[in-house]
Amino acid sequence: MVSIRAIYEDGVLKPLDPLDLTSGQAVRLTIEMDEHANLRALLGDLVRWANPDDDRDAWVEAEADAIDQALQGDPPLSQIIIQSRV
């Protein structure tokens, strides 16, 4: 089994990396949504806005993962916000 990343645009899945497939080869796809793709895109835009020559993908991925963990944390982020207001 091979796992690839792709973007869906205009009704077509577009792989982000080259595929080692022959023309006409049948494949089976399992679609997993990247729930945090928008967050990663926003963080990347912030990095490029601050410095257009900077493309720190590793930083963007690390920050997105840290935010995701915080949102999944215990106590929930909503509880932390409520406690900070008291």
Side-chain angles (χ1 to χ4, degrees):
M1 181 161 78
V2 175
S3 177
I4 66 163
R5 295 179 320 130
I7 292 178
Y8 182 75
E9 289 180 340
D10 302 321
V12 177
L13 281 173
K14 299 178 181 182
L16 296 175
D17 302 306
L19 300 176
D20 187 21
L21 299 171
T22 59
S23 181
Q25 182 175 349
V27 297
R28 178 178 298 188
L29 300 175
T30 301
I31 307 294
E32 291 182 18
M33 307 300 259
D34 185 352
E35 297 174 3
H36 302 290
N38 291 337
L39 175 59
R40 287 180 174 83
L42 289 171
L43 288 170
D45 288 346
L46 286 173
V47 168
R48 285 181 281 285
W49 175 78
N51 183 356
D53 297 327
D54 195 351
D55 189 15
R56 295 185 281 174
D57 289 336
W59 178 86
V60 168
E61 289 295 321
E63 287 299 306
D65 289 342
I67 291 169
D68 180 43
Q69 281 185 320
L71 293 175
Q72 302 299 321
D74 185 27
L77 183 58
S78 58
Q79 186 63 35
I80 293 170
I81 293 169
I82 291 168
Q83 289 173 346
S84 70
R85 292 182 178 175
V86 176

